[in-house]
């Protein structure tokens, strides 16, 4: 969720409020709900978060095949207007054939389209979660070594260095100023 799209759309706030019981959980929206979406969206408190959820909704509501659902997901993610117009009519037709109200299906389609632009593959989310956990553990248990490595990797970005130095200070780490006599960083040149 901690990416520009979800943060700007307000879905992070919705997710947090729903998780803490401060907002009603709906599937996917309080005004536009369909019971068949509950099992798909329940793990994420009714928020369309993962690309797999977009594909499952397309399979359940309008009866897309798995391949068709993947085409819809790609078209939504890439914001292809012509393909989206085509998919909109296919979605509505399929939903009506599955005894879902056409207007309701279009409102859900609009929500799916909105969230699909921010959707993330669930397996990628899990992998990033593992990296975030390892990073936090290293920062908590080996702060000086961790910050030295991060500062070294970002040494060419002065804006980031300023932020990282502030982070070091908040961790109680002392940052020595650059020194010609004590510096260990050396650029190796290959003579040709």
């Amino acid at each position: 969720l901690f990416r520009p799209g979800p943060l700007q759309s307000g879905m992070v706030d919705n997710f947090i409020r729903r998780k803490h019981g401060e907002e009603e959980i709906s599937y996917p929206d309080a005004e536009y709900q369909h019971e068949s979406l509950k099992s798909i969206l329940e793990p994420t408190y009714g928020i369309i978060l993962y690309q797999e959820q977009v594909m499952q909704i397309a399979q359940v509501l309008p009866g897309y095949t798995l391949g068709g659902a993947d085409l819809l997901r790609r078209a939504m993610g890439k914001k292809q207007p012509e393909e989206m117009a085509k998919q909109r009519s296919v979605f509505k037709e399929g939903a009506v054939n599955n005894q879902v109200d056409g207007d309701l299906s279009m409102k859900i389609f609009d929500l799916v389209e909105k969230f699909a632009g921010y959707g993330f593959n669930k397996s990628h989310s899990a992998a990033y979660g593992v990296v975030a956990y390892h990073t936090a553990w290293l920062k908590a248990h080996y702060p000086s070594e961790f910050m030295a490595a991060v500062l070294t990797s970002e040494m060419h970005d002065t804006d980031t260095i300023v932020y990282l130095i502030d982070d070091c200070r908040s961790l109680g780490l002392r940052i020595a100023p650059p020194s010609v006599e004590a510096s260990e960083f050396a650029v190796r040149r290959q003579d040709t």
Side-chain angles (χ1 to χ4, degrees):
L1 286 170
F2 195 71
R3 296 176 5 257
L7 289 168
Q8 291 167 357
S9 74
M11 74 189 265
V12 174
D13 297 327
N14 293 112
F15 185 92
I16 292 168
R17 283 194 300 269
R18 289 178 181 195
K19 180 176 182 171
H20 293 291
E22 299 166 4
E23 181 178 305
E24 179 187 347
I25 297 175
S26 50
Y27 307 101
D29 186 84
E31 296 178 37
Y32 321 120
Q33 296 193 60
H34 197 276
E35 191 61 32
S36 66
L37 303 183
K38 183 176 181 177
S39 65
I40 298 168
L41 299 176
E42 199 167 31
T44 56
Y45 308 101
I47 302 291
I48 303 168
L49 185 57
Y50 299 118
Q51 292 176 348
E52 290 85 349
Q53 289 173 310
V54 169
M55 293 172 63
Q56 288 175 314
I57 290 169
Q59 288 179 285
V60 169
L61 218 56
Y64 275 61
T65 64
L66 188 57
D70 189 46
L71 290 174
L72 174 68
R73 175 200 59 82
R74 273 191 264 155
M76 286 181 167
K78 293 181 182 178
K79 297 174 178 62
Q80 301 169 335
E82 291 173 10
E83 182 62 26
M84 286 309 300
K86 178 182 161 191
Q87 292 294 335
R88 176 177 286 279
S89 62
V90 171
F91 195 95
K92 183 175 184 177
E93 183 181 323
V96 169
N97 289 341
N98 284 340
Q99 283 72 49
V100 177
D101 178 71
D103 291 336
L104 174 63
S105 72
M106 288 297 87
K107 291 172 183 172
I108 291 174
F109 182 89
D110 291 337
L111 287 173
V112 169
E113 183 177 20
K114 173 186 170 189
F115 290 118
Y118 310 131
F120 209 65
N121 182 295
K122 192 172 186 177
S123 65
H124 289 185
S125 296
Y128 281 116
V130 170
V131 171
Y133 180 84
H134 288 168
T135 302
W137 188 88
L138 288 169
K139 186 175 181 180
H141 294 281
Y142 298 95
S144 58
E145 294 87 346
F146 176 81
M147 293 308 295
V150 173
L151 283 163
T152 300
S153 72
E154 297 291 336
M155 72 172 59
H156 300 292
D157 184 351
T158 54
D159 292 337
T160 302
I161 291 291
V162 170
Y163 167 78
L164 291 171
I165 288 174
D166 287 342
D167 200 15
C168 287
R169 288 184 182 131
S170 73
L171 291 169
L173 301 175
R174 187 180 66 82
I175 302 290
S179 169
V180 175
E181 296 171 3
S183 176
E184 292 181 27
F185 178 76
V187 178
R188 295 182 185 183
R189 287 184 6 190
Q190 289 184 347
D191 294 324
T192 55

